[in-house]
Every structure is written in C-alpha cells, then in structure tokens.
Amino acid sequence: MDKIAYPVLTEKTIRLLEKNQYSFDVDVRSDKTEIKKWIELFFCVEVAGINSHRLPGKKRRIGSITGYTIHYKRMIITLKSGYSIPLFSSK
C-alpha cells in the first residue's frame, strides 16, 4: 500500500460516493493496473473502472526560495455494484 497515499474527501468526492466511486491520491509513478490490483487485494472488492488525472502543484515561496508542493496523481475508482469500501461506509 505504499503507492496509495490517502483517500480524498471533498464535496465532489462525497457526491461520487453515491455512484459507487471512490477517490485516492496515489504516487505519480504508479499506473492504473497496479492501483487496481492493490485496491482489489486490500479491500476485497472488484473494480469496474479507473479514471486518473495529475493534480498541479501549488507554488510556494519561503523567503527568497521558490518551490512547489508535492505532486500527486488522483485516481477515481468505480466499483462493481454490490461492492463498497468500508473506509467510507456511512454506518
């Protein structure tokens, strides 16, 4: 689970939970098939599809040094009907 950084909970991702879609920030070097394998193994679910996009890093400045925040890749994972991830359950 080193490749999956953390689950994302924003207003948009909470709306996606109704469609059985879950969002995770993952390592930039990981690909869809690798993340699919990890999600299916770790959560014991079946993945129907995965969409991904790279988030832009925000520019930060400390004194005279300019840099960027950490870059992540966000994966939106759609599960097959009947499956859910207990991490996001509303119980």
Side-chain angles (χ1 to χ4, degrees):
M1 290 297 291
D2 294 337
K3 300 285 184 171
I4 299 174
Y6 50 86
V8 179
L9 290 174
T10 61
E11 291 179 14
K12 181 179 179 180
T13 59
I14 290 172
R15 283 194 313 263
L16 289 176
L17 290 176
E18 297 171 0
K19 298 177 184 178
N20 209 15
Q21 294 180 333
Y22 300 87
S23 296
F24 293 95
D25 278 350
V26 299
D27 188 30
V28 175
R29 297 178 300 263
S30 59
D31 58 351
K32 290 182 181 183
T33 56
E34 186 178 8
I35 296 301
K36 179 182 178 180
K37 184 176 18 170
W38 275 107
I39 294 292
E40 288 179 343
L41 267 171
F42 190 72
F43 294 111
C44 298
V45 296
E46 289 190 31
V47 176
I50 296 179
N51 295 339
S52 68
H53 67 280
R54 289 188 59 176
L55 300 169
K58 294 183 180 178
K59 191 172 185 180
R60 296 287 184 228
R61 182 173 172 204
I62 300 174
S64 62
I65 300 171
T66 303
Y68 289 90
T69 59
I70 298 173
H71 298 276
Y72 281 109
K73 185 187 286 187
R74 184 162 293 166
M75 298 268 184
I76 299 174
I77 299 164
T78 305
L79 300 180
K80 292 186 179 179
S81 61
Y83 289 98
S84 66
I85 295 178
L87 184 66
F88 295 108
S89 71
S90 60
K91 294 180 182 178

Coordinates of all heavy atoms in Angstrom, one line a residue:
M1 N 0.8 -1.2 0.0 CA 0.0 0.0 0.0 C 0.9 1.3 0.0 O 0.4 2.3 0.3 CB -0.9 0.0 1.2 CG -2.0 -1.0 1.2 SD -3.2 -0.8 -0.2 CE -4.0 0.7 0.3
D2 N 2.1 1.1 -0.4 CA 3.0 2.3 -0.4 C 2.6 3.3 -1.5 O 2.8 4.5 -1.4 CB 4.4 1.9 -0.6 CG 5.0 1.1 0.5 OD1 4.4 1.2 1.6 OD2 5.9 0.3 0.3
K3 N 2.0 2.8 -2.6 CA 1.6 3.6 -3.7 C 0.4 4.5 -3.4 O 0.2 5.5 -4.0 CB 1.4 2.8 -4.9 CG 2.6 1.9 -5.4 CD 3.6 2.8 -6.0 CE 4.7 1.9 -6.5 NZ 5.7 2.6 -7.3
I4 N -0.5 4.0 -2.6 CA -1.7 4.8 -2.3 C -1.4 5.7 -1.1 O -1.2 5.2 0.0 CB -2.9 3.9 -2.0 CG1 -3.2 3.0 -3.2 CG2 -4.1 4.6 -1.6 CD1 -4.2 1.9 -3.0
A5 N -1.5 7.0 -1.3 CA -1.2 8.0 -0.3 C -2.3 8.1 0.8 O -2.1 7.8 1.9 CB -0.8 9.3 -0.9
Y6 N -3.5 8.5 0.3 CA -4.6 8.6 1.2 C -5.9 8.8 0.4 O -5.9 9.2 -0.8 CB -4.4 9.8 2.1 CG -4.0 11.1 1.5 CD1 -5.0 11.9 1.0 CD2 -2.7 11.5 1.3 CE1 -4.7 13.1 0.3 CE2 -2.4 12.7 0.7 CZ -3.3 13.5 0.2 OH -3.0 14.6 -0.4
P7 N -7.0 8.5 1.0 CA -8.3 8.7 0.4 C -8.6 10.2 0.4 O -8.2 11.0 1.3 CB -9.3 8.0 1.2 CG -8.7 7.8 2.5 CD -7.2 7.8 2.3
V8 N -9.4 10.7 -0.6 CA -9.7 12.1 -0.7 C -11.2 12.3 -0.4 O -12.1 11.6 -0.9 CB -9.5 12.6 -2.2 CG1 -9.8 14.0 -2.3 CG2 -8.0 12.3 -2.6
L9 N -11.5 13.2 0.5 CA -12.8 13.5 0.9 C -13.1 15.0 0.7 O -12.7 15.8 1.5 CB -13.1 13.2 2.4 CG -13.2 11.7 2.7 CD1 -13.3 11.4 4.1 CD2 -14.3 11.0 1.9
T10 N -13.7 15.3 -0.4 CA -14.1 16.7 -0.7 C -15.6 16.7 -1.1 O -16.2 15.6 -1.1 CB -13.3 17.3 -1.9 OG1 -13.6 16.4 -3.1 CG2 -11.8 17.3 -1.7
E11 N -16.1 17.8 -1.4 CA -17.6 17.9 -1.7 C -17.8 17.0 -3.0 O -18.8 16.3 -3.0 CB -18.0 19.3 -1.9 CG -18.0 20.2 -0.7 CD -18.4 21.6 -1.0 OE1 -19.0 21.9 -2.1 OE2 -18.2 22.4 -0.1
K12 N -17.0 17.1 -3.9 CA -17.2 16.4 -5.2 C -17.0 14.9 -4.9 O -17.8 14.1 -5.4 CB -16.2 16.8 -6.2 CG -16.3 16.1 -7.5 CD -15.4 16.5 -8.6 CE -15.6 15.8 -9.9 NZ -14.6 16.2 -10.9
T13 N -16.0 14.5 -4.2 CA -15.9 13.0 -4.0 C -17.0 12.4 -3.1 O -17.3 11.3 -3.2 CB -14.5 12.7 -3.3 OG1 -14.4 13.4 -2.1 CG2 -13.4 13.2 -4.2
I14 N -17.5 13.2 -2.2 CA -18.7 12.7 -1.4 C -19.9 12.5 -2.3 O -20.6 11.6 -2.2 CB -19.0 13.7 -0.3 CG1 -17.8 13.6 0.8 CG2 -20.3 13.4 0.4 CD1 -17.9 14.6 1.8
R15 N -20.1 13.4 -3.4 CA -21.2 13.2 -4.3 C -20.9 11.9 -5.2 O -21.8 11.2 -5.5 CB -21.3 14.4 -5.3 CG -22.0 15.6 -4.6 CD -22.4 16.6 -5.7 NE -21.3 16.9 -6.6 CZ -20.5 18.0 -6.5 NH1 -20.6 18.8 -5.5 NH2 -19.6 18.2 -7.4
L16 N -19.6 11.7 -5.5 CA -19.3 10.5 -6.2 C -19.5 9.2 -5.5 O -19.7 8.1 -6.1 CB -17.8 10.5 -6.7 CG -17.5 11.6 -7.7 CD1 -16.0 11.6 -8.0 CD2 -18.2 11.3 -9.0
L17 N -19.5 9.2 -4.2 CA -19.8 8.0 -3.4 C -21.2 7.5 -3.7 O -21.4 6.2 -3.6 CB -19.7 8.3 -1.9 CG -18.3 8.6 -1.3 CD1 -18.3 9.0 0.1 CD2 -17.4 7.4 -1.6
E18 N -22.1 8.3 -4.0 CA -23.5 7.8 -4.4 C -23.4 7.0 -5.7 O -24.3 6.1 -5.9 CB -24.4 9.0 -4.6 CG -24.6 9.8 -3.3 CD -25.4 11.1 -3.6 OE1 -25.7 11.4 -4.7 OE2 -25.6 11.8 -2.6
K19 N -22.5 7.2 -6.5 CA -22.3 6.5 -7.8 C -21.3 5.3 -7.6 O -20.9 4.7 -8.6 CB -21.8 7.4 -8.9 CG -22.7 8.5 -9.2 CD -22.1 9.4 -10.3 CE -22.9 10.6 -10.6 NZ -22.3 11.5 -11.5
N20 N -21.0 5.0 -6.4 CA -20.1 3.9 -6.1 C -18.7 4.2 -6.6 O -18.0 3.3 -7.1 CB -20.6 2.6 -6.6 CG -20.1 1.4 -5.7 OD1 -19.6 1.6 -4.6 ND2 -20.3 0.2 -6.2
Q21 N -18.2 5.4 -6.5 CA -16.9 5.8 -7.0 C -16.1 6.4 -5.8 O -16.7 7.2 -5.0 CB -17.0 6.9 -8.1 CG -17.6 6.4 -9.4 CD -17.7 7.5 -10.4 OE1 -17.7 8.6 -10.1 NE2 -17.7 7.0 -11.7
Y22 N -14.9 6.0 -5.7 CA -14.0 6.4 -4.6 C -12.8 7.1 -5.1 O -12.2 6.7 -6.1 CB -13.6 5.2 -3.8 CG -14.8 4.5 -3.2 CD1 -15.5 3.5 -3.9 CD2 -15.3 4.8 -1.9 CE1 -16.6 2.9 -3.4 CE2 -16.4 4.2 -1.4 CZ -17.1 3.2 -2.2 OH -18.2 2.6 -1.6
S23 N -12.2 8.1 -4.4 CA -11.1 8.8 -4.9 C -9.9 8.6 -3.9 O -10.0 8.7 -2.7 CB -11.4 10.3 -4.9 OG -12.4 10.5 -5.9
F24 N -8.7 8.4 -4.5 CA -7.5 8.2 -3.8 C -6.4 9.1 -4.4 O -6.3 9.1 -5.7 CB -7.0 6.8 -3.8 CG -8.0 5.9 -3.0 CD1 -8.9 5.1 -3.7 CD2 -7.8 5.7 -1.6 CE1 -9.8 4.3 -3.0 CE2 -8.7 4.8 -0.9 CZ -9.6 4.1 -1.6
D25 N -5.5 9.6 -3.6 CA -4.3 10.2 -4.1 C -3.2 9.1 -4.1 O -3.0 8.5 -3.1 CB -3.9 11.4 -3.3 CG -4.6 12.7 -3.7 OD1 -5.3 12.7 -4.7 OD2 -4.5 13.7 -3.0
V26 N -2.6 8.9 -5.2 CA -1.6 7.9 -5.3 C -0.2 8.5 -5.8 O -0.2 9.6 -6.2 CB -2.0 6.8 -6.3 CG1 -3.3 6.1 -5.8 CG2 -2.2 7.3 -7.7
D27 N 0.8 7.7 -5.8 CA 2.1 8.1 -6.2 C 2.1 8.3 -7.7 O 1.4 7.7 -8.5 CB 3.1 7.0 -5.9 CG 4.5 7.4 -6.2 OD1 4.8 8.6 -6.0 OD2 5.3 6.5 -6.5
V28 N 2.8 9.3 -8.2 CA 2.8 9.7 -9.6 C 3.3 8.6 -10.5 O 2.9 8.5 -11.6 CB 3.7 11.0 -9.7 CG1 3.8 11.4 -11.2 CG2 3.1 12.2 -8.9
R29 N 4.2 7.8 -10.0 CA 4.8 6.8 -10.8 C 4.0 5.5 -11.0 O 4.3 4.6 -11.7 CB 6.2 6.4 -10.2 CG 7.2 7.5 -10.2 CD 8.5 7.1 -9.6 NE 8.3 6.6 -8.2 CZ 8.5 7.4 -7.1 NH1 8.9 8.7 -7.3 NH2 8.3 7.0 -5.9
S30 N 2.9 5.4 -10.2 CA 2.0 4.2 -10.3 C 1.0 4.4 -11.5 O 0.7 5.4 -11.9 CB 1.2 4.1 -9.0 OG 0.4 5.2 -8.8
D31 N 0.6 3.2 -12.0 CA -0.3 3.2 -13.1 C -1.6 2.5 -12.7 O -1.8 2.0 -11.6 CB 0.3 2.5 -14.3 CG 0.7 1.1 -14.0 OD1 0.7 0.7 -12.9 OD2 1.1 0.3 -15.0
K32 N -2.6 2.6 -13.7 CA -3.9 2.1 -13.3 C -4.0 0.6 -13.0 O -4.7 0.2 -12.0 CB -4.9 2.4 -14.5 CG -5.1 3.8 -14.8 CD -6.1 4.0 -15.9 CE -6.4 5.4 -16.2 NZ -7.4 5.6 -17.3
T33 N -3.3 -0.2 -13.7 CA -3.3 -1.7 -13.4 C -2.7 -2.0 -12.1 O -3.2 -2.9 -11.4 CB -2.6 -2.5 -14.5 OG1 -1.3 -2.0 -14.6 CG2 -3.3 -2.3 -15.8
E34 N -1.7 -1.3 -11.7 CA -1.1 -1.5 -10.4 C -2.0 -1.1 -9.3 O -2.2 -1.8 -8.3 CB 0.2 -0.7 -10.3 CG 1.1 -1.0 -9.1 CD 2.3 -0.2 -9.2 OE1 2.5 0.7 -10.1 OE2 3.2 -0.4 -8.3
I35 N -2.6 0.0 -9.4 CA -3.6 0.5 -8.4 C -4.8 -0.4 -8.3 O -5.3 -0.7 -7.2 CB -4.0 2.0 -8.6 CG1 -2.7 2.9 -8.5 CG2 -5.0 2.4 -7.7 CD1 -2.0 2.8 -7.2
K36 N -5.3 -0.9 -9.5 CA -6.4 -1.8 -9.5 C -6.1 -3.0 -8.7 O -6.9 -3.5 -7.9 CB -6.8 -2.1 -10.9 CG -8.0 -3.1 -11.0 CD -8.3 -3.4 -12.5 CE -9.4 -4.4 -12.5 NZ -9.7 -4.8 -13.9
K37 N -4.9 -3.6 -8.9 CA -4.5 -4.8 -8.2 C -4.5 -4.6 -6.7 O -5.0 -5.4 -5.9 CB -3.2 -5.3 -8.7 CG -2.7 -6.6 -8.1 CD -1.4 -7.1 -8.7 CE -0.6 -6.2 -9.4 NZ 0.8 -6.7 -9.7
W38 N -3.9 -3.4 -6.3 CA -3.8 -3.1 -4.8 C -5.2 -2.9 -4.2 O -5.4 -3.4 -3.1 CB -3.0 -1.9 -4.6 CG -1.5 -2.1 -4.6 CD1 -0.6 -1.8 -5.5 CD2 -0.8 -2.7 -3.5 NE1 0.7 -2.2 -5.2 CE2 0.6 -2.8 -3.9 CE3 -1.1 -3.3 -2.3 CZ2 1.6 -3.3 -3.1 CZ3 -0.1 -3.8 -1.5 CH2 1.2 -3.8 -1.9
I39 N -6.1 -2.2 -4.9 CA -7.4 -2.0 -4.3 C -8.2 -3.3 -4.2 O -8.8 -3.5 -3.2 CB -8.2 -1.0 -5.2 CG1 -7.5 0.4 -5.2 CG2 -9.6 -0.9 -4.8 CD1 -7.6 1.1 -3.8
E40 N -8.1 -4.1 -5.2 CA -8.8 -5.4 -5.2 C -8.3 -6.3 -4.1 O -9.0 -7.0 -3.4 CB -8.8 -6.1 -6.5 CG -9.7 -5.4 -7.5 CD -9.6 -6.0 -8.9 OE1 -8.7 -6.8 -9.2 OE2 -10.5 -5.8 -9.7
L41 N -7.0 -6.3 -3.9 CA -6.4 -7.2 -2.9 C -6.6 -6.6 -1.4 O -7.0 -7.4 -0.6 CB -4.9 -7.2 -3.1 CG -4.3 -8.4 -3.9 CD1 -2.9 -8.2 -4.2 CD2 -4.6 -9.7 -3.2
F42 N -6.4 -5.4 -1.3 CA -6.5 -4.8 0.1 C -8.0 -4.7 0.6 O -8.2 -5.0 1.8 CB -5.8 -3.4 0.1 CG -5.7 -2.9 1.5 CD1 -4.7 -3.4 2.3 CD2 -6.4 -1.8 1.9 CE1 -4.6 -2.9 3.6 CE2 -6.3 -1.3 3.2 CZ -5.3 -1.8 4.0
F43 N -8.9 -4.3 -0.2 CA -10.3 -4.1 0.2 C -11.2 -5.2 -0.2 O -12.4 -5.2 0.2 CB -10.8 -2.7 -0.4 CG -10.1 -1.5 0.1 CD1 -9.3 -0.8 -0.7 CD2 -10.3 -1.1 1.4 CE1 -8.7 0.4 -0.2 CE2 -9.7 0.0 1.9 CZ -8.9 0.8 1.1
C44 N -10.7 -6.2 -0.9 CA -11.5 -7.4 -1.3 C -12.8 -6.9 -2.1 O -13.9 -7.3 -1.7 CB -11.9 -8.2 -0.1 SG -10.5 -8.9 0.7
V45 N -12.6 -6.1 -3.1 CA -13.7 -5.6 -3.9 C -13.3 -5.9 -5.4 O -12.2 -6.3 -5.7 CB -13.9 -4.1 -3.7 CG1 -14.4 -3.8 -2.3 CG2 -12.7 -3.3 -4.0
E46 N -14.3 -5.7 -6.3 CA -14.0 -5.8 -7.7 C -14.1 -4.4 -8.4 O -15.1 -3.7 -8.2 CB -15.0 -6.8 -8.4 CG -14.7 -8.2 -8.0 CD -15.5 -9.2 -8.9 OE1 -15.8 -8.8 -10.0 OE2 -15.8 -10.2 -8.3
V47 N -13.1 -4.0 -9.1 CA -13.1 -2.7 -9.7 C -13.6 -2.8 -11.1 O -13.3 -3.6 -11.9 CB -11.6 -2.2 -9.8 CG1 -11.5 -0.9 -10.5 CG2 -11.1 -2.0 -8.4
A48 N -14.6 -1.9 -11.4 CA -15.2 -1.8 -12.8 C -14.4 -0.9 -13.7 O -14.3 -1.2 -14.9 CB -16.6 -1.3 -12.7
G49 N -13.8 0.2 -13.1 CA -13.1 1.1 -14.0 C -12.3 2.1 -13.1 O -12.6 2.3 -12.0
I50 N -11.3 2.7 -13.8 CA -10.4 3.7 -13.1 C -10.2 4.9 -14.0 O -9.9 4.7 -15.2 CB -9.1 3.1 -12.7 CG1 -9.2 1.9 -11.7 CG2 -8.1 4.1 -12.1 CD1 -8.0 1.3 -11.3
N51 N -10.4 6.1 -13.5 CA -10.0 7.3 -14.2 C -8.9 8.0 -13.3 O -8.9 7.9 -12.1 CB -11.2 8.2 -14.3 CG -12.3 7.7 -15.1 OD1 -12.0 6.8 -16.0 ND2 -13.5 8.2 -15.0
S52 N -8.0 8.6 -14.0 CA -6.9 9.3 -13.3 C -6.6 10.6 -13.9 O -6.8 10.8 -15.1 CB -5.7 8.4 -13.3 OG -5.1 8.3 -14.6
H53 N -6.0 11.5 -13.1 CA -5.5 12.8 -13.6 C -4.5 13.3 -12.6 O -4.5 12.9 -11.4 CB -6.6 13.8 -13.8 CG -7.3 14.3 -12.5 ND1 -8.3 13.5 -11.9 CD2 -7.1 15.4 -11.8 CE1 -8.7 14.2 -10.8 NE2 -8.0 15.3 -10.7
R54 N -3.5 14.1 -13.1 CA -2.5 14.6 -12.3 C -2.9 16.0 -11.8 O -3.4 16.8 -12.5 CB -1.2 14.7 -13.1 CG -0.6 13.4 -13.3 CD 0.8 13.5 -13.9 NE 1.6 14.2 -13.0 CZ 2.9 14.4 -13.2 NH1 3.5 14.0 -14.3 NH2 3.6 15.1 -12.3
L55 N -2.7 16.2 -10.5 CA -3.0 17.5 -9.9 C -1.8 18.4 -10.1 O -0.7 18.0 -9.9 CB -3.3 17.3 -8.4 CG -4.5 16.4 -8.1 CD1 -4.5 16.1 -6.6 CD2 -5.7 17.0 -8.5
P56 N -2.1 19.7 -10.4 CA -1.0 20.6 -10.5 C -0.4 21.0 -9.1 O -1.2 21.1 -8.1 CB -1.6 21.9 -11.1 CG -3.0 21.8 -10.8 CD -3.3 20.3 -10.7
G57 N 0.9 21.1 -9.0 CA 1.5 21.5 -7.7 C 1.3 23.0 -7.5 O 1.4 23.8 -8.4
K58 N 1.1 23.4 -6.3 CA 0.9 24.8 -6.0 C 2.3 25.5 -5.7 O 3.1 24.9 -5.1 CB 0.0 25.0 -4.7 CG -1.4 24.5 -5.0 CD -2.3 24.8 -3.8 CE -3.7 24.3 -4.0 NZ -4.5 24.5 -2.9
K59 N 2.4 26.7 -6.2 CA 3.7 27.4 -6.0 C 3.8 27.9 -4.6 O 2.8 28.6 -4.1 CB 3.8 28.5 -7.0 CG 5.1 29.1 -7.1 CD 5.1 30.1 -8.3 CE 6.5 30.7 -8.5 NZ 6.6 31.6 -9.6
R60 N 4.9 27.7 -3.9 CA 5.1 28.1 -2.5 C 6.4 28.9 -2.5 O 7.4 28.5 -3.1 CB 5.1 27.0 -1.5 CG 3.8 26.2 -1.4 CD 2.8 27.0 -0.7 NE 1.6 26.3 -0.5 CZ 0.4 26.7 -0.7 NH1 0.2 27.9 -1.2 NH2 -0.6 26.0 -0.5
R61 N 6.4 29.9 -1.6 CA 7.6 30.7 -1.5 C 8.0 30.9 0.0 O 7.1 31.3 0.8 CB 7.4 32.1 -2.2 CG 8.7 32.9 -2.1 CD 8.5 34.2 -2.9 NE 9.6 35.0 -2.6 CZ 9.6 36.3 -2.8 NH1 8.5 36.9 -3.1 NH2 10.7 37.0 -2.5
I62 N 9.2 30.6 0.3 CA 9.7 30.8 1.7 C 10.9 31.6 1.6 O 12.0 31.2 1.1 CB 10.0 29.4 2.4 CG1 8.8 28.6 2.5 CG2 10.6 29.7 3.8 CD1 9.0 27.2 3.0
G63 N 10.8 32.9 1.9 CA 11.9 33.9 1.8 C 12.2 34.1 0.3 O 11.4 34.4 -0.5
S64 N 13.5 33.8 -0.1 CA 13.9 34.0 -1.5 C 13.8 32.7 -2.3 O 14.0 32.7 -3.5 CB 15.3 34.6 -1.5 OG 16.2 33.6 -1.0
I65 N 13.4 31.6 -1.6 CA 13.4 30.3 -2.3 C 12.0 30.0 -2.7 O 11.0 30.2 -2.0 CB 13.8 29.2 -1.3 CG1 15.3 29.5 -0.9 CG2 13.7 27.9 -1.9 CD1 15.8 28.6 0.2
T66 N 11.8 29.7 -4.0 CA 10.5 29.4 -4.6 C 10.5 27.9 -4.9 O 11.5 27.3 -5.5 CB 10.3 30.2 -5.9 OG1 10.4 31.6 -5.6 CG2 8.9 29.9 -6.4
G67 N 9.4 27.3 -4.6 CA 9.3 25.8 -4.9 C 7.8 25.5 -5.1 O 6.9 26.3 -5.2
Y68 N 7.5 24.2 -5.2 CA 6.2 23.7 -5.4 C 5.8 22.6 -4.4 O 6.7 22.0 -3.9 CB 6.1 23.1 -6.8 CG 6.1 24.1 -7.9 CD1 7.3 24.5 -8.5 CD2 5.0 24.7 -8.4 CE1 7.4 25.5 -9.5 CE2 5.0 25.7 -9.4 CZ 6.2 26.0 -9.9 OH 6.2 27.0 -10.9
T69 N 4.6 22.5 -4.1 CA 4.1 21.4 -3.2 C 4.2 20.1 -3.9 O 4.5 20.0 -5.1 CB 2.7 21.7 -2.8 OG1 1.8 21.7 -3.9 CG2 2.5 23.0 -2.0
I70 N 4.0 19.0 -3.1 CA 4.1 17.7 -3.6 C 3.1 17.4 -4.7 O 1.9 17.8 -4.6 CB 4.0 16.7 -2.5 CG1 5.1 16.9 -1.5 CG2 4.0 15.3 -3.0 CD1 4.9 16.1 -0.2
H71 N 3.5 16.8 -5.8 CA 2.6 16.4 -6.9 C 2.0 15.0 -6.6 O 2.8 14.1 -6.2 CB 3.3 16.4 -8.2 CG 3.9 17.7 -8.6 ND1 3.1 18.6 -9.3 CD2 5.1 18.2 -8.5 CE1 3.8 19.7 -9.5 NE2 5.0 19.5 -9.0
Y72 N 0.7 14.8 -6.8 CA 0.1 13.5 -6.6 C -0.7 13.3 -7.9 O -1.1 14.2 -8.6 CB -0.8 13.5 -5.4 CG -0.1 13.3 -4.1 CD1 -0.1 14.4 -3.2 CD2 0.4 12.1 -3.8 CE1 0.6 14.2 -2.0 CE2 1.1 11.9 -2.6 CZ 1.2 13.0 -1.7 OH 1.8 12.8 -0.5
K73 N -1.0 12.0 -8.1 CA -2.0 11.6 -9.1 C -3.2 11.2 -8.4 O -3.2 10.5 -7.4 CB -1.4 10.4 -9.9 CG -2.2 10.0 -11.1 CD -1.7 8.7 -11.7 CE -0.4 9.0 -12.5 NZ 0.0 7.8 -13.3
R74 N -4.4 11.6 -8.9 CA -5.6 11.3 -8.3 C -6.3 10.2 -9.1 O -6.5 10.4 -10.3 CB -6.5 12.5 -8.1 CG -7.8 12.2 -7.4 CD -8.5 13.4 -6.8 NE -7.7 13.9 -5.8 CZ -7.8 15.2 -5.3 NH1 -8.8 15.9 -5.7 NH2 -7.1 15.6 -4.3
M75 N -6.7 9.1 -8.5 CA -7.5 8.0 -9.1 C -8.9 8.0 -8.6 O -9.1 8.1 -7.4 CB -6.8 6.7 -8.8 CG -5.4 6.5 -9.3 SD -5.4 5.8 -10.9 CE -3.6 5.7 -11.1
I76 N -9.8 8.0 -9.6 CA -11.2 7.8 -9.2 C -11.6 6.4 -9.6 O -11.6 6.0 -10.8 CB -12.1 8.8 -10.0 CG1 -11.7 10.3 -9.6 CG2 -13.6 8.6 -9.7 CD1 -12.4 11.4 -10.3
I77 N -11.9 5.6 -8.6 CA -12.1 4.2 -8.8 C -13.6 3.8 -8.7 O -14.3 4.2 -7.8 CB -11.3 3.4 -7.7 CG1 -9.9 3.7 -7.9 CG2 -11.6 1.9 -7.8 CD1 -9.0 3.3 -6.8
T78 N -14.1 3.2 -9.8 CA -15.5 2.8 -9.8 C -15.6 1.3 -9.5 O -14.9 0.5 -10.1 CB -16.1 3.1 -11.2 OG1 -15.9 4.4 -11.6 CG2 -17.6 2.7 -11.2
L79 N -16.4 1.0 -8.5 CA -16.6 -0.4 -8.1 C -17.8 -1.0 -8.8 O -18.7 -0.3 -9.1 CB -16.7 -0.5 -6.6 CG -15.5 0.0 -5.8 CD1 -15.8 -0.2 -4.3 CD2 -14.2 -0.7 -6.1
K80 N -17.8 -2.3 -8.9 CA -18.9 -3.0 -9.4 C -20.1 -2.9 -8.4 O -19.8 -2.8 -7.2 CB -18.6 -4.5 -9.8 CG -17.6 -4.6 -10.9 CD -17.4 -6.0 -11.3 CE -16.5 -6.1 -12.5 NZ -16.2 -7.5 -12.9
S81 N -21.3 -3.1 -8.9 CA -22.5 -2.9 -8.0 C -22.4 -4.1 -7.0 O -22.0 -5.2 -7.3 CB -23.8 -3.0 -8.8 OG -23.9 -4.2 -9.5
G82 N -22.8 -3.7 -5.8 CA -22.8 -4.7 -4.7 C -21.5 -4.6 -3.8 O -21.5 -5.2 -2.8
Y83 N -20.5 -3.9 -4.3 CA -19.3 -3.8 -3.5 C -19.2 -2.3 -2.9 O -19.7 -1.4 -3.5 CB -18.1 -4.0 -4.4 CG -17.9 -5.5 -4.8 CD1 -18.4 -5.9 -6.0 CD2 -17.3 -6.4 -4.0 CE1 -18.3 -7.2 -6.4 CE2 -17.2 -7.7 -4.3 CZ -17.7 -8.1 -5.5 OH -17.5 -9.4 -5.9
S84 N -18.5 -2.2 -1.8 CA -18.2 -0.9 -1.2 C -16.9 -1.0 -0.4 O -16.5 -2.1 0.0 CB -19.3 -0.4 -0.4 OG -19.5 -1.2 0.7
I85 N -16.3 0.1 -0.2 CA -15.1 0.1 0.6 C -15.5 0.6 2.0 O -16.1 1.6 2.2 CB -14.1 1.1 0.0 CG1 -13.6 0.6 -1.3 CG2 -12.9 1.3 0.9 CD1 -12.6 1.5 -2.1
P86 N -15.2 -0.3 3.0 CA -15.7 0.0 4.4 C -15.1 1.3 5.0 O -15.6 1.9 5.9 CB -15.3 -1.2 5.2 CG -14.2 -1.8 4.4 CD -14.5 -1.5 3.0
L87 N -14.0 1.8 4.4 CA -13.4 3.0 4.9 C -14.3 4.2 4.8 O -14.3 5.1 5.6 CB -12.1 3.3 4.1 CG -11.2 4.4 4.5 CD1 -10.6 4.2 5.8 CD2 -10.1 4.6 3.5
F88 N -15.2 4.2 3.8 CA -16.1 5.3 3.5 C -17.5 5.0 3.9 O -18.4 5.7 3.5 CB -16.1 5.6 2.0 CG -14.8 6.2 1.5 CD1 -14.0 5.4 0.7 CD2 -14.4 7.4 1.9 CE1 -12.8 5.9 0.3 CE2 -13.2 7.9 1.5 CZ -12.4 7.1 0.7
S89 N -17.8 3.9 4.6 CA -19.2 3.5 4.9 C -19.8 4.5 5.8 O -19.2 5.1 6.6 CB -19.3 2.1 5.5 OG -18.8 2.1 6.8
S90 N -21.1 4.7 5.6 CA -21.8 5.7 6.4 C -22.4 5.2 7.6 O -23.2 5.8 8.3 CB -22.9 6.4 5.5 OG -23.8 5.3 5.1
K91 N -22.1 4.0 8.0 CA -22.6 3.3 9.2 C -22.0 3.9 10.5 O -20.9 4.3 10.5 CB -22.5 1.8 9.2 CG -23.3 1.2 8.1 CD -23.1 -0.3 8.0 CE -23.9 -0.9 6.9 NZ -23.7 -2.3 6.8

